[in-house]
Amino acid sequence: MSTTETSVIATELGLPIPSLPHAVSVSLPTWQDSLGYSEGDGRVVEALTTGYPRSFIHRSVQLLAHVCEENFGNPGERCILVSSSKLADACRSFLLVHSPSPITVRVARRALASSTSGQHCPKETLNHCQGSEEHGSSPQQLLDLHMVFFPAESFPLARYYWAYTGHGISSRRADRCLKLLDMSSPAVSGISVGVSTSTITSTSGTSNGNSPGGSVESPHAGLGQNQTMLLVQCDEELLPFAEARSVLQRRIARALRGEFSSPSEASPSPDLKKDDSGRQLLSDDDVFLYPGGMNAIWHAHRLILQTAEKTGKVVGKSICFGFPYSCTPKVLEKSGPGYYLFGSGDDHDLSEVRRVAQEAAASGNPIVALFCEVSTNPLLRTPNIVELRKIADEFEFLIVVDESIGNFVNVDIMEYADIVVTSLTKVFSGRSNVMGGSLALNPQRRHYSILRDHLKATYEDLYWHEDVVCMELNSRDFARRIDITNRNAEVVADWLWHQSEVYAGETQNSNGRKKLITNVFYPKWVTRKNYDACRRRPSNTNGKPLYPSGFGSLVTILFCDEPAARAFYDNLGCEKGPSWGTNFTLAGPYTIFAHYRELDWTAGYGVPINIVRMSVGMEDEATLLGWVKHALEAAEKAMELSS
């Protein structure tokens, strides 16, 4: 392999990716930085200015919680902030049940009254997609603070709950609250808040008083983020909140039906309820928006349990099929009767799923639901959804599919799923500056009516309106962007695959060097038959689809050992940190980020520490291949010197 020249754009440790106040990733440019992040190493923790919002409480949210503790807390108490009274009660119940010793948990609510409205967001802030008061203030005149107070020593447990449920308030909502807490005009139930304006504005960079989404940061100069920022810029106009919300629901419903607009169509036309044969179609009324993907999963699980109870059924356990994202099992375990894990999620597990379902039914505690991902994170396996559907119908349990990785363009799982959940934060948004999730009910499934009626009766609009406006803007061209990242990821995956031990069938290169790449996981060759079974087919057979299905933007690389993975990662020139699905390439040592406290357990399911997951972005192919070729070459040299 010849020496490869490559650009290095990785951001400095601890800074946001991209360089925006509401970025949902943070730079961890070396393997040691990533280890320090998971271990709580002071060097890394002190450098962090932000992080993934469920893993790192945003500085604005931290400050607002501190304000609440100072003014409404008792000595020795801390609090977390959630989006509604119902969620506050759910958090309180969780803490009381799971605390190792008896504690006092109390819920408090205070209303912040807005004294200003109608301000406009300056043109220059649109690239940051902060939202504006003209788009955000009208949905509610009062802004409620929902506070859950508990003993300070219980904060780790509360923090755990915050992380896996996604119940916490968004950073934009926190910024709006902080803006209302002006010392010159006490706003919280007539009680002065002892935080100065300068303290509030200093947490998010350069202050801009007209930006209701929070202060506006300028990109950090000289840190190589120019290329990253180019891939998240946007100069389009924002929609009013009510219109943005309905457009977003309609866009998701149409995408799940395989209907994709051209990038120039910002507002899809009104939805159809039935097709030409009279069959009911999934419509925008079947799509429910949430503050994040995990929050959508939590609500899907809660919906299933509540409807089972409502219909007089015994609420049994769920099944988690395939190695899942780490927080999904936590939802099933901590917020319900528990679950059975089939971590391999391959066809050999199907007979065991049937046996478990049969025994559960015979015991009087039937399975209520099966949760799976298409495809799984990080091994990118696709479950045999066709056979799972048959088993589910036989034993009358629901199937919930998280299709975030497969995504709307590439897979069509509506034929098999009762509920489809999606992390809109990822490829649907792409700009890595807003969180969001969706839950869609399948009108073709037999439990649709009971699920829909109950959800419509109990649904809370928790998705902060400035986040909705931002998500609508970001997602206007999602199909076009996915088409680009599909093609780019396939180029990268193919090249890496040809360097792997599994492809070559031997452990050494032609030059006698040890092959550092053991395997490459990518849906093109991992459980391909199962992937093809749910791969989206063109709705119009007369011509080529505008955006043909591909294999997604994720590529997971298994190295021969941890030193090889470390050397590759350290020499990779792209952005590096948590999250995925960004317009720019973002890599991370997945197991360290998601499972660092359970490495032996994850290794048993084929997810060892020595993997690097790449979310391939929209850069040109030469840049992408330059990064991986340079990193592998540098890793080979490093391993040769150490041997």
Side-chain angles (χ1 to χ4, degrees), residues 239 243-255 257 259-262 264-273 281-285 472 476:
L239 292 180
E243 184 179 356
R245 181 180 183 81
S246 62
V247 166
L248 200 52
Q249 289 174 280
R250 193 170 305 135
R251 185 173 293 148
I252 294 168
R254 290 184 59 177
R257 299 203 308 260
E259 301 170 15
F260 305 109
S261 305
S262 64
S264 60
E265 185 182 354
S267 302
S269 56
D271 221 358
L272 298 174
K273 298 291 185 181
L281 294 172
L282 182 140
S283 71
D284 51 351
D285 292 334
E472 188 283 322
R476 289 176 191 175

Side-chain angles (χ1 to χ4, degrees), residues 273-309:
K273 298 291 185 181
K274 295 183 179 181
D275 62 14
D276 294 338
S277 64
R279 187 180 63 171
Q280 188 170 1
L281 294 172
L282 182 140
S283 71
D284 51 351
D285 292 334
D286 298 320
V287 176
F288 299 82
L289 301 178
Y290 292 94
M294 279 312 307
N295 197 250
I297 290 174
W298 186 90
H299 278 92
H301 182 238
R302 183 190 190 195
L303 171 65
I304 291 168
L305 298 184
Q306 289 180 341
T307 53
E309 291 176 349

Side-chain angles (χ1 to χ4, degrees), residues 260-417:
F260 305 109
S261 305
S262 64
S264 60
E265 185 182 354
S267 302
S269 56
D271 221 358
L272 298 174
K273 298 291 185 181
K274 295 183 179 181
D275 62 14
D276 294 338
S277 64
R279 187 180 63 171
Q280 188 170 1
L281 294 172
L282 182 140
S283 71
D284 51 351
D285 292 334
D286 298 320
V287 176
F288 299 82
L289 301 178
Y290 292 94
M294 279 312 307
N295 197 250
I297 290 174
W298 186 90
H299 278 92
H301 182 238
R302 183 190 190 195
L303 171 65
I304 291 168
L305 298 184
Q306 289 180 341
T307 53
E309 291 176 349
K310 188 176 181 179
T311 55
K313 295 181 179 179
V314 175
V315 180
K317 293 183 178 182
S318 296
I319 289 173
C320 187
F321 192 83
F323 190 84
Y325 174 63
S326 59
C327 286
T328 301
K330 294 181 175 66
V331 169
L332 305 182
E333 177 185 5
K334 301 296 184 181
S335 298
Y339 70 103
Y340 299 96
L341 175 65
F342 294 87
S344 296
D346 55 28
D347 286 7
H348 295 100
D349 286 331
L350 294 173
S351 60
E352 188 67 8
V353 169
R354 181 182 295 278
R355 183 190 67 79
V356 167
Q358 190 170 30
E359 291 182 358
S363 71
N365 293 286
I367 300 298
V368 293
L370 181 145
F371 288 73
C372 64
E373 298 172 358
V374 175
S375 299
T376 62
N377 192 2
L379 298 180
L380 305 176
R381 293 172 177 165
T382 303
N384 190 332
I385 196 72
V386 177
E387 291 302 315
L388 289 174
R389 182 71 262 174
K390 293 177 182 177
I391 299 172
D393 288 342
E394 180 180 351
F395 294 98
E396 298 189 348
F397 59 79
L398 304 179
I399 291 183
V400 181
V401 178
D402 180 350
E403 58 77 77
S404 302
I405 290 177
N407 76 56
F408 298 136
V409 171
N410 296 328
V411 298
D412 178 11
I413 38 78
M414 291 306 297
E415 181 179 350
Y416 309 106

Side-chain angles (χ1 to χ4, degrees), residues 11 57 65 85 102 116 138 189 198 228 286 324 371 393 414 481 503 518 555 563 587 619 623-624 626:
T11 300
I57 300 178
S85 295
T116 60
S138 58
S189 301
S198 61
T228 300
D286 298 320
F371 288 73
D393 288 342
M414 291 306 297
R481 290 184 287 101
Y503 172 80
T518 300
V555 181
E619 299 90 350
T623 297
L624 294 167

